[in-house]
Amino acid sequence: MTAKSSQTSPSNDTPAAPSLTGQDGPARCPLAVQLQAQAQDAQPQLRMSQPRRCPSLLGRVCLYILAICSLGMGIVGVFVPGLPTTVFVLIAAWAAARSSPKLHNWLLQHTLFGPILRNWEAGGFVSAKAKRAAILTMLISVLVMLLAGVPHWALLLASGCMACVAVYLWRRPEPPAQE
């Protein structure tokens, strides 16, 4: 066995694929070469899945009512601090996708809710701006509860829930940059 220098590497910073002979020679596994080339050429692809529509009429009616009620709560949440907007709009979009394609398309095209919903449906993305706005709103809500004299147990419970939501939101991926 001969010792080869481990400092020789390909010009790109990716590790060499295993060779067909099992040695670090020029002959490399064709499948590994193909997969490496695909990985380098691949742009982040947004996945837009088609939701399954509820088969029963009663189920569609119930989901439509849920969508309308959730959308209403989301709109109220725009004006009331502490009431989440995004969660209700996501629920509304989920229910509308299974009950009313017309309402779902309207939500996706909406100027305020559309970008949020399209990012979420494309892969659970949350923009940095939305993360900052949500966390700032939660902090303001805690401040309002402190000033309003909310019982300590309620303040702790609400603050704990908001902290969990903040951590979850911050860990969500951000949408890929548009070219």
Side-chain angles (χ1 to χ4, degrees):
M1 252 188 183
T2 62
K4 292 186 178 182
S5 172
S6 63
Q7 294 181 4
T8 58
S9 64
S11 62
N12 57 5
D13 292 319
T14 57
S19 69
L20 291 173
T21 61
Q23 298 174 355
D24 293 326
R28 293 177 32 185
C29 175
L31 179 60
V33 171
Q34 180 184 3
L35 291 175
Q36 185 178 15
Q38 287 176 354
Q40 289 174 352
D41 294 338
Q43 296 291 330
Q45 296 294 321
L46 300 179
R47 62 172 174 83
M48 295 294 281
S49 61
Q50 293 290 61
R52 291 181 291 155
R53 192 159 181 207
C54 186
S56 71
L57 178 62
L58 179 62
R60 284 194 307 270
V61 169
C62 289
L63 286 171
Y64 186 76
I65 292 170
L66 175 65
I68 295 298
C69 291
S70 296
L71 182 59
M73 291 296 289
I75 291 170
V76 170
V78 170
F79 303 104
V80 176
L83 186 64
T85 300
T86 306
V87 173
F88 286 117
V89 173
L90 288 174
I91 292 170
W94 174 84
R98 285 153 181 78
S99 63
S100 172
K102 185 177 178 180
L103 177 60
H104 186 248
N105 287 333
W106 180 81
L107 284 169
L108 289 176
Q109 300 307 317
H110 194 272
T111 56
L112 179 63
F113 305 132
I116 296 167
L117 293 174
R118 288 189 299 270
N119 281 338
W120 187 260
E121 287 186 1
F125 301 123
V126 179
S127 70
K129 181 181 175 183
K131 290 176 186 182
R132 288 190 302 268
I135 291 172
L136 180 64
T137 303
M138 287 186 267
L139 288 173
I140 291 170
S141 299
V142 170
L143 182 63
V144 168
M145 287 189 296
L146 278 170
L147 296 174
V150 174
H152 291 324
W153 66 267
L155 179 64
L156 288 174
L157 180 66
S159 299
C161 289
M162 285 188 252
C164 291
V165 170
V167 168
Y168 175 77
L169 269 179
W170 205 256
R171 293 181 54 125
R172 297 301 311 161
E174 292 182 13
Q178 299 288 331
E179 289 184 11

